[in-house]
Amino acid sequence: MAVNSDRNKQGIRERLHSLPRPAGIAVMALLLAVSLFAGNFRALQNATPKAFIRQGDVKSIIEDRIDAARNVVSVAQRLGLDGVQAAGEAIDALEGAKTAREISRADQELAAAVSRLTTAELNGEDARSMQRAADDFAEQGSFLRQEARAYNEKAQKADRLYDSLPARFILPEPDMYEGV
């Protein structure tokens, strides 16, 4: 009991001095590794822009783009065109996308599916309805690409930092919007 009470009375400094050298080296190496990882993580976190879906008007633009795609699908469905199901699946994929990379890929799929629907030869009111829906879809795509370019400028700075970090092999790579 006397040994235990003497040990409790020792300060941290005395305890560290009584620590065997190999244990002290191991503790220092562990602290160095943890501080390196934590510092790299914080630096990357500070340099990385917030999620793409939360940038500017991205969420609203995506919703409008999906609505425009649904209008194209609606016209195509009424006319019995092929490719309606693929466009519907692409709409679902865009609705479920969360990261910039996922949004980019889903939007590219959706653009291809809508393009296939809008190239059908139509006449009269059907052609005008399809053209209006396609124009609205294209306009929202232009807005989305503007937001993506602004996001990628910020993300490229984070990517350059990521490439220079010693602990990058255990940190997530910054998200980028592909195809702009």
Side-chain angles (χ1 to χ4, degrees):
M1 193 72 149
V3 173
N4 209 12
S5 73
D6 286 342
R7 186 173 170 104
N8 289 339
K9 290 181 183 177
Q10 284 183 342
I12 292 176
R13 186 178 177 138
E14 289 82 18
R15 286 184 187 173
L16 288 175
H17 283 292
S18 66
L19 195 65
R21 181 170 288 197
I25 292 171
V27 167
M28 290 301 292
L30 178 66
L31 289 174
L32 180 63
V34 168
S35 65
L36 177 70
F37 173 75
N40 283 200
F41 178 76
R42 289 186 68 207
L44 185 61
Q45 189 177 33
N46 289 335
T48 302
K50 63 185 174 184
F52 179 63
I53 194 78
R54 290 192 223 130
Q55 292 280 106
D57 295 328
V58 170
K59 188 171 184 165
S60 173
I61 292 168
I62 289 173
E63 289 168 357
D64 291 346
R65 188 147 165 91
I66 288 170
D67 287 343
R70 282 193 175 119
N71 290 340
V72 168
V73 168
S74 162
V75 172
Q77 203 167 25
R78 188 179 69 231
L79 298 172
L81 299 178
D82 291 337
V84 170
Q85 183 178 354
E89 290 169 0
I91 288 171
D92 292 343
L94 184 55
E95 284 179 321
K98 301 292 181 226
T99 67
R101 188 168 284 119
E102 289 172 356
I103 291 169
S104 170
R105 290 176 181 173
D107 186 60
Q108 289 174 27
E109 264 185 56
L110 181 58
V114 166
S115 176
R116 284 189 293 274
L117 293 175
T118 59
T119 56
E121 290 191 33
L122 304 174
N123 297 318
E125 186 57 35
D126 293 332
R128 286 187 289 282
S129 293
M130 183 66 85
Q131 189 60 50
R132 279 192 301 272
D135 289 347
D136 190 32
F137 180 78
E139 180 181 36
Q140 295 306 319
S142 178
F143 293 150
L144 185 61
R145 284 186 297 282
Q146 288 174 351
E147 291 288 342
R149 280 191 280 281
Y151 175 82
N152 276 357
E153 285 178 17
K154 296 173 191 172
Q156 284 173 346
K157 292 176 185 175
D159 197 45
R160 283 192 294 276
L161 174 65
Y162 176 82
D163 289 340
S164 69
L165 295 176
R168 72 180 167 271
F169 58 91
I170 54 177
L171 296 171
E173 189 170 355
D175 192 29
M176 300 284 279
Y177 189 96
E178 300 171 337
V180 288

